[in-house]
Amino acid sequence: MAIQTIKVPDLGGAEGVEVIEISVKVGDSIAEGDSIVVLETDKASMEIPADASGKVTALKIKIGDKVSQGDALIDLEVSGATASAPTPEAAPAPVAAPAPAAAPSASAEVKLIVPDLGGAEGVEVIEVAVKVGDQINSGDSIVVLETDKASMEIPAEVSGTILSLSVKVGDKVSQGFVLGVVSAAGAAPAVAATQTAAPAQAAAVATAPVAAATSVAASDDDDEEDDGSDVYAGPAVRKLARQLGVDLDKVKATGPRGRVQKDDLHNYVKPIVQAVQSGNGAVGSGIPALPVIDYAKFGEIEIVKMSKIKKLTADAMTRSWLNVPRITQFDDADITDLEAFRNSMKAEAEKRGSKLTPLPFIVKAVAAALVAEPSFNVSMHQDGESIVQKKFVHIGIAVDTPNGLLVPVVRNADKKGLFELADEINALAKKARDGKLTPAEMQGGCFTISSLGAMGGNGFTPMVSAPTEVGILGVSRAQMKPVWNGKEFIPRNMLPLSLSYDHRAVNGSDAGRFMTYLVGVIGDLRRLLL
Ligand code: CAO
């Protein structure tokens, strides 16, 4: 390991150039060619790339500093390098600036010619910053070129009107390539004729190999196409934006003079990625991403990882929420008689080791309702034009576990007795809480029952388990209520039921019939015999 200091290279003669952006921080691992800082003169800005890979151990500058050639920028811990071979200058062999060169024609027309690119050939044009008819000033960017290492801007040497352009995005150009012709009103032929570097304009300073780049302040044109070309941003940021497919126009700039910085791009992209990964937003769906909130601003917080089950549930709920047009219907079932029967059976249940809660009765009633109203015992077919009608009755039971919600499935519930159902539900619930359910035990459900009765509540709107099911019954806490029997109010034990259904598969009248049947059976279990 050795420490190497990266210094300011030849800036084409410019001195005391302002540091406007520091793209790295201590501890960052950077690769050769990565931008370290952005410097800005009154004409243009330029990025200084690292000429070695390594870990940043110290920053020698801060934003606002004025630097010149040879000033230290950062210390880099370089693996594999020997201490005796530090690179004294970031740009050991600075080449002439890729100065905009212009050659005069017979009239006042001046060709815009690609200058010396530090030896690079066939460099790709990634941006054409002007169009025919544009009035340009000397120093305005004409094109941005990009090698695999860095990008650079080619500014105009003369002021005037663009008469023609002979370059487009994607072209590969080398020194001498004619980019276009300018009608250079008042251009001094001597300037136009020379093809030497223009240090005063030092807009682009290439190190060897071509490695520095510039960008010029945004154009004032309001009628530009919305392609980000009129956004003020450095080449590295533009390159990153292109790689990520980000429209720079949409990125909020926080840099000096409205410059889009790398962090701005990260801040724009991060919430979108997070939203997509968490299922809170879907690319191309038009669903706006949720903003990222820094909760620490409001008080002490702790970030706690969600369990795998919770994450899976979150994904499933989001899928259901986005895909299922859900309706929830509410009703109360009179369980006074059911409870009287259940209490009368408690001793017998205990004797055979069963725990008889209201739930097995509800499962039995739901199974009967699925047989009587098969419109609920379906799945939406993936062809979008059919439904899958099921001839079996498997019922999922939502079980609350320390790791999250699990839904084991009671198979052929319509064919099982109350004790058998009670035992199976208890066994599956225990397995769920012990983390011992097999995937097969959680598959194949036709309908789910989510019972929050032991916890309380008057009703809720459960989520349909898409795509396998189209209905789910929420069970809330039973309580004594005054019920009008036609002559008087009598106390009855009423069980609140919430039936959610996928309105693509089930229509309101189906749901009404299902609920009425269910409430009738729960209210009078003898109906199961019919
Ligand atoms: N009204 C009033 N009391 C009720 C009731 C209701 N609707 N449902 C159950 N109870 C009573 C039971 O009778 C039992 O009392 P006793 O011991 O005096 O008989 C007590 O509440 C506790 O019942 P339980 O929870 O042990 O048993 P259960 O059969 O009702 O439920 C199970 C089993 C596994 C469904 C439940 O334990 C569970 O995990 N529920 C949570 C489900 C959930 O999280 N759903 C939300 C999913 S999000 O959509």
Side-chain angles (χ1 to χ4, degrees):
M1 293 286 182
I3 300 296
Q4 180 173 321
T5 301
I6 306 243
K7 296 179 178 176
V8 178
D10 176 9
L11 299 177
E15 297 267 328
V17 181
E18 188 178 347
V19 176
I20 62 159
E21 195 179 320
I22 300 173
S23 317
V24 296
K25 56 186 185 317
V26 172
D28 279 359
S29 287
I30 60 170
E32 185 181 346
D34 282 356
S35 176
I36 306 171
V37 293
V38 181
L39 309 181
E40 188 172 68
T41 66
D42 55 347
K43 271 274 185 235
S45 55
M46 66 197 81
E47 289 180 9
I48 307 297
D51 63 346
S53 305
K55 194 168 167 187
V56 179
T57 57
L59 297 180
K60 305 288 195 185
I61 30 87
K62 59 185 186 316
I63 288 181
D65 281 359
K66 302 273 176 22
V67 296
S68 304
Q69 181 179 0
D71 288 348
L73 293 172
I74 58 166
D75 283 347
L76 205 59
E77 190 180 86
V78 188
S79 59
T82 58
S84 59
T87 308
E89 304 285 333
V95 299
S105 65
S107 65
E109 291 177 7
V110 177
K111 286 181 185 160
L112 298 163
I113 296 174
V114 174
D116 176 10
L117 298 176
E121 296 270 325
V123 180
E124 188 178 348
V125 176
I126 58 160
E127 204 177 309
V128 178
V130 293
K131 56 187 184 309
V132 172
D134 277 0
Q135 294 287 332
I136 56 159
N137 293 317
S138 167
D140 282 356
S141 176
I142 304 297
V143 290
V144 180
L145 309 181
E146 189 175 69
T147 66
D148 56 346
K149 275 268 182 254
S151 50
M152 73 192 76
E153 205 170 86
I154 307 296
E157 177 78 343
V158 291
S159 303
T161 308
I162 303 275
L163 293 178
S164 66
L165 284 173
S166 43
V167 65
K168 59 181 186 324
V169 170
D171 284 353
K172 301 271 172 35
V173 301
S174 304
Q175 181 177 4
F177 183 94
V178 177
L179 298 167
V181 177
V182 176
S183 139
V191 173
T194 45
Q195 290 201 20
T196 52
Q201 303 227 341
V205 179
T207 55
V210 176
T214 69
S215 85
V216 180
S219 108
D220 294 325
D221 285 358
D222 285 333
D223 56 350
E224 294 264 318
E225 272 177 46
D226 207 19
D227 59 357
S229 60
D230 57 349
V231 170
Y232 183 24
V237 170
R238 287 179 184 281
K239 185 177 179 184
L240 188 58
R242 264 197 320 284
Q243 287 167 342
L244 297 170
V246 170
D247 178 356
L248 275 177
D249 283 307
K250 300 207 160 53
V251 179
K252 188 174 168 218
T254 62
R257 290 178 285 283
R259 181 186 171 84
V260 179
Q261 308 191 104
K262 233 175 201 168
D263 274 352
D264 298 333
L265 203 52
H266 288 150
N267 289 340
Y268 177 79
V269 169
K270 208 168 149 190
I272 298 173
V273 173
Q274 283 176 338
V276 170
Q277 284 175 351
S278 68
N280 283 337
V283 173
S285 67
I287 295 166
L290 296 173
V292 175
I293 309 291
D294 175 13
Y295 297 98
K297 280 198 304 206
F298 311 119
E300 191 185 338
I301 59 162
E302 186 189 349
I303 307 293
V304 182
K305 282 266 172 247
M306 281 165 81
S307 71
K308 195 164 172 237
I309 293 172
K310 274 197 174 151
K311 275 194 283 182
L312 289 171
T313 304
D315 288 348
M317 292 302 109
T318 307
R319 279 199 305 273
S320 177
W321 183 262
L322 294 174
N323 286 292
V324 176
R326 183 196 54 171
I327 305 287
T328 307
Q329 178 175 337
F330 303 91
D331 208 343
D332 285 349
D334 186 336
I335 58 166
T336 316
D337 296 342
L338 183 153
E339 281 295 87
F341 176 57
R342 187 174 72 90
N343 285 326
S344 71
M345 296 299 294
K346 258 192 169 167
E348 191 178 329
E350 267 167 33
K351 221 157 85 188
R352 66 188 303 279
S354 300
K355 190 184 175 215
L356 206 54
T357 66
L359 189 58
F361 293 86
I362 297 166
V363 172
K364 188 78 196 156
V366 164
L370 286 170
V371 174
E373 296 293 341
S375 56
F376 264 83
N377 199 4
V378 300
S379 298
M380 290 294 293
H381 194 277
Q382 60 269 23
D383 68 8
E385 296 176 354
S386 324
I387 53 162
V388 181
Q389 180 69 59
K390 292 162 202 175
K391 309 285 172 73
F392 52 88
V393 181
H394 301 341
I395 294 181
I397 308 292
V399 177
D400 185 32
T401 80
N403 283 326
L405 180 68
L406 288 171
V407 187
V409 173
V410 178
R411 308 197 111 72
N412 301 313
D414 56 327
K415 301 194 167 66
K416 290 178 177 163
L418 283 170
F419 285 134
E420 197 179 355
L421 286 172
D423 292 347
E424 198 169 326
I425 294 166
N426 285 331
L428 286 170
K430 184 172 185 318
K431 267 182 138 181
R433 289 180 180 126
D434 294 345
K436 290 193 175 142
L437 279 179
T438 64
E441 286 171 319
M442 293 184 276
Q443 289 166 0
C446 305
F447 186 98
T448 294
I449 297 173
S450 175
S451 175
L452 294 177
M455 293 149 217
N458 295 322
F460 58 106
T461 54
M463 299 283 284
V464 175
S465 178
T468 48
E469 301 175 9
V470 298
I472 178 166
L473 184 75
V475 181
S476 297
R477 185 164 194 80
Q479 54 179 316
M480 296 303 288
K481 283 185 182 169
V483 175
W484 183 251
N485 69 358
K487 286 194 273 196
E488 58 187 339
F489 283 103
I490 48 168
R492 302 295 290 178
N493 200 352
M494 303 304 285
L495 177 74
L497 301 176
S498 317
L499 175 69
S500 288
Y501 57 94
D502 182 341
H503 207 346
R504 295 172 305 167
V506 176
N507 61 36
S509 54
D510 294 332
R513 272 194 299 274
F514 186 92
M515 188 64 128
T516 303
Y517 182 92
L518 185 63
V519 166
V521 169
I522 293 174
D524 186 350
L525 294 172
R526 292 172 303 177
R527 287 177 172 275
L528 285 171
L529 303 171
L530 295 175

